[in-house]
PDB file of all heavy atoms in Angstrom:
ATOM      1  N   GLY C  66      77.939  94.769  84.538  1.00 98.00           N
ATOM      2  CA  GLY C  66      77.228  94.153  83.427  1.00 98.00           C
ATOM      3  C   GLY C  66      77.669  94.677  82.079  1.00 98.00           C
ATOM      4  O   GLY C  66      77.877  93.911  81.128  1.00 98.00           O
ATOM      5  N   GLU C  67      77.830  95.969  81.985  1.00 98.00           N
ATOM      6  CA  GLU C  67      78.279  96.572  80.734  1.00 98.00           C
ATOM      7  C   GLU C  67      79.713  96.170  80.409  1.00 98.00           C
ATOM      8  O   GLU C  67      80.047  95.858  79.258  1.00 98.00           O
ATOM      9  CB  GLU C  67      78.173  98.096  80.824  1.00 98.00           C
ATOM     10  CG  GLU C  67      78.622  98.809  79.564  1.00 98.00           C
ATOM     11  CD  GLU C  67      78.503 100.324  79.663  1.00 98.00           C
ATOM     12  OE1 GLU C  67      77.847 100.829  80.607  1.00 98.00           O
ATOM     13  OE2 GLU C  67      79.088 101.011  78.792  1.00 98.00           O
ATOM     14  N   ALA C  68      80.560  96.154  81.445  1.00 98.00           N
ATOM     15  CA  ALA C  68      81.985  95.878  81.221  1.00 98.00           C
ATOM     16  C   ALA C  68      82.258  94.458  80.755  1.00 98.00           C
ATOM     17  O   ALA C  68      83.112  94.218  79.905  1.00 98.00           O
ATOM     18  CB  ALA C  68      82.768  96.173  82.499  1.00 98.00           C
ATOM     19  N   ILE C  69      81.525  93.499  81.304  1.00 97.00           N
ATOM     20  CA  ILE C  69      81.872  92.096  81.066  1.00 97.00           C
ATOM     21  C   ILE C  69      80.992  91.396  80.015  1.00 97.00           C
ATOM     22  O   ILE C  69      81.180  90.219  79.751  1.00 97.00           O
ATOM     23  CB  ILE C  69      81.818  91.291  82.389  1.00 97.00           C
ATOM     24  CG1 ILE C  69      80.421  91.355  83.064  1.00 97.00           C
ATOM     25  CG2 ILE C  69      82.861  91.812  83.371  1.00 97.00           C
ATOM     26  CD1 ILE C  69      79.402  90.391  82.581  1.00 97.00           C
ATOM     27  N   GLU C  70      80.084  92.125  79.419  1.00 97.00           N
ATOM     28  CA  GLU C  70      79.125  91.489  78.516  1.00 97.00           C
ATOM     29  C   GLU C  70      79.798  90.684  77.408  1.00 97.00           C
ATOM     30  O   GLU C  70      79.366  89.573  77.078  1.00 97.00           O
ATOM     31  CB  GLU C  70      78.205  92.543  77.909  1.00 97.00           C
ATOM     32  CG  GLU C  70      77.061  91.944  77.105  1.00 97.00           C
ATOM     33  CD  GLU C  70      76.066  92.994  76.636  1.00 97.00           C
ATOM     34  OE1 GLU C  70      76.429  94.196  76.575  1.00 97.00           O
ATOM     35  OE2 GLU C  70      74.923  92.622  76.334  1.00 97.00           O
ATOM     36  N   ALA C  71      80.876  91.203  76.859  1.00 96.00           N
ATOM     37  CA  ALA C  71      81.526  90.545  75.725  1.00 96.00           C
ATOM     38  C   ALA C  71      82.220  89.242  76.107  1.00 96.00           C
ATOM     39  O   ALA C  71      82.419  88.370  75.261  1.00 96.00           O
ATOM     40  CB  ALA C  71      82.532  91.499  75.083  1.00 96.00           C
ATOM     41  N   PHE C  72      82.589  89.083  77.376  1.00 98.00           N
ATOM     42  CA  PHE C  72      83.288  87.867  77.796  1.00 98.00           C
ATOM     43  C   PHE C  72      82.586  87.191  78.970  1.00 98.00           C
ATOM     44  O   PHE C  72      83.194  86.478  79.749  1.00 98.00           O
ATOM     45  CB  PHE C  72      84.758  88.159  78.145  1.00 98.00           C
ATOM     46  CG  PHE C  72      84.990  89.368  79.012  1.00 98.00           C
ATOM     47  CD1 PHE C  72      84.893  89.294  80.392  1.00 98.00           C
ATOM     48  CD2 PHE C  72      85.323  90.589  78.436  1.00 98.00           C
ATOM     49  CE1 PHE C  72      85.121  90.399  81.191  1.00 98.00           C
ATOM     50  CE2 PHE C  72      85.550  91.712  79.235  1.00 98.00           C
ATOM     51  CZ  PHE C  72      85.455  91.617  80.612  1.00 98.00           C
ATOM     52  N   ARG C  73      81.281  87.408  79.061  1.00 98.00           N
ATOM     53  CA  ARG C  73      80.524  86.903  80.197  1.00 98.00           C
ATOM     54  C   ARG C  73      80.718  85.404  80.446  1.00 98.00           C
ATOM     55  O   ARG C  73      80.855  84.951  81.579  1.00 98.00           O
ATOM     56  CB  ARG C  73      79.026  87.188  79.945  1.00 98.00           C
ATOM     57  CG  ARG C  73      78.065  87.061  81.130  1.00 98.00           C
ATOM     58  CD  ARG C  73      77.885  85.845  81.764  1.00 98.00           C
ATOM     59  NE  ARG C  73      77.244  85.636  82.991  1.00 98.00           N
ATOM     60  CZ  ARG C  73      77.833  85.058  83.982  1.00 98.00           C
ATOM     61  NH1 ARG C  73      79.137  84.782  83.952  1.00 98.00           N
ATOM     62  NH2 ARG C  73      77.168  84.720  85.059  1.00 98.00           N
ATOM     63  N   GLU C  74      80.758  84.598  79.402  1.00 97.00           N
ATOM     64  CA  GLU C  74      80.856  83.140  79.573  1.00 97.00           C
ATOM     65  C   GLU C  74      82.225  82.690  80.063  1.00 97.00           C
ATOM     66  O   GLU C  74      82.396  81.538  80.464  1.00 97.00           O
ATOM     67  CB  GLU C  74      80.519  82.429  78.257  1.00 97.00           C
ATOM     68  CG  GLU C  74      79.080  82.611  77.804  1.00 97.00           C
ATOM     69  CD  GLU C  74      78.080  82.132  78.841  1.00 97.00           C
ATOM     70  OE1 GLU C  74      78.283  81.043  79.413  1.00 97.00           O
ATOM     71  OE2 GLU C  74      77.094  82.859  79.104  1.00 97.00           O
ATOM     72  N   ASP C  75      83.196  83.593  80.070  1.00 98.00           N
ATOM     73  CA  ASP C  75      84.555  83.239  80.482  1.00 98.00           C
ATOM     74  C   ASP C  75      84.853  83.607  81.930  1.00 98.00           C
ATOM     75  O   ASP C  75      85.966  83.370  82.408  1.00 98.00           O
ATOM     76  CB  ASP C  75      85.577  83.942  79.580  1.00 98.00           C
ATOM     77  CG  ASP C  75      85.435  83.542  78.126  1.00 98.00           C
ATOM     78  OD1 ASP C  75      85.069  82.371  77.866  1.00 98.00           O
ATOM     79  OD2 ASP C  75      85.675  84.399  77.253  1.00 98.00           O
ATOM     80  N   ILE C  76      83.875  84.188  82.609  1.00 98.00           N
ATOM     81  CA  ILE C  76      84.145  84.677  83.952  1.00 98.00           C
ATOM     82  C   ILE C  76      83.104  84.181  84.955  1.00 98.00           C
ATOM     83  O   ILE C  76      82.081  83.608  84.581  1.00 98.00           O
ATOM     84  CB  ILE C  76      84.171  86.215  83.989  1.00 98.00           C
ATOM     85  CG1 ILE C  76      82.769  86.765  83.669  1.00 98.00           C
ATOM     86  CG2 ILE C  76      85.226  86.772  83.058  1.00 98.00           C
ATOM     87  CD1 ILE C  76      82.607  88.225  84.012  1.00 98.00           C
ATOM     88  N   VAL C  77      83.396  84.429  86.223  1.00 98.00           N
ATOM     89  CA  VAL C  77      82.483  84.130  87.322  1.00 98.00           C
ATOM     90  C   VAL C  77      82.006  85.456  87.915  1.00 98.00           C
ATOM     91  O   VAL C  77      82.814  86.303  88.305  1.00 98.00           O
ATOM     92  CB  VAL C  77      83.197  83.303  88.417  1.00 98.00           C
ATOM     93  CG1 VAL C  77      82.343  83.218  89.681  1.00 98.00           C
ATOM     94  CG2 VAL C  77      83.507  81.904  87.898  1.00 98.00           C
ATOM     95  N   ILE C  78      80.698  85.625  87.945  1.00 98.00           N
ATOM     96  CA  ILE C  78      80.102  86.816  88.559  1.00 98.00           C
ATOM     97  C   ILE C  78      79.522  86.436  89.912  1.00 98.00           C
ATOM     98  O   ILE C  78      78.745  85.490  90.033  1.00 98.00           O
ATOM     99  CB  ILE C  78      78.973  87.402  87.695  1.00 98.00           C
ATOM    100  CG1 ILE C  78      79.505  87.888  86.346  1.00 98.00           C
ATOM    101  CG2 ILE C  78      78.296  88.568  88.430  1.00 98.00           C
ATOM    102  CD1 ILE C  78      78.406  88.389  85.423  1.00 98.00           C
ATOM    103  N   ALA C  79      79.903  87.208  90.928  1.00 98.00           N
ATOM    104  CA  ALA C  79      79.304  87.059  92.254  1.00 98.00           C
ATOM    105  C   ALA C  79      78.571  88.347  92.582  1.00 98.00           C
ATOM    106  O   ALA C  79      79.112  89.444  92.405  1.00 98.00           O
ATOM    107  CB  ALA C  79      80.379  86.793  93.303  1.00 98.00           C
TER     108      ALA C  79
END
Side-chain angles (χ1 to χ4, degrees):
E67 180 180 347
I69 58 84
E70 188 174 21
F72 46 84
R73 194 297 167 237
E74 295 302 316
D75 299 327
I76 66 166
V77 169
I78 297 176

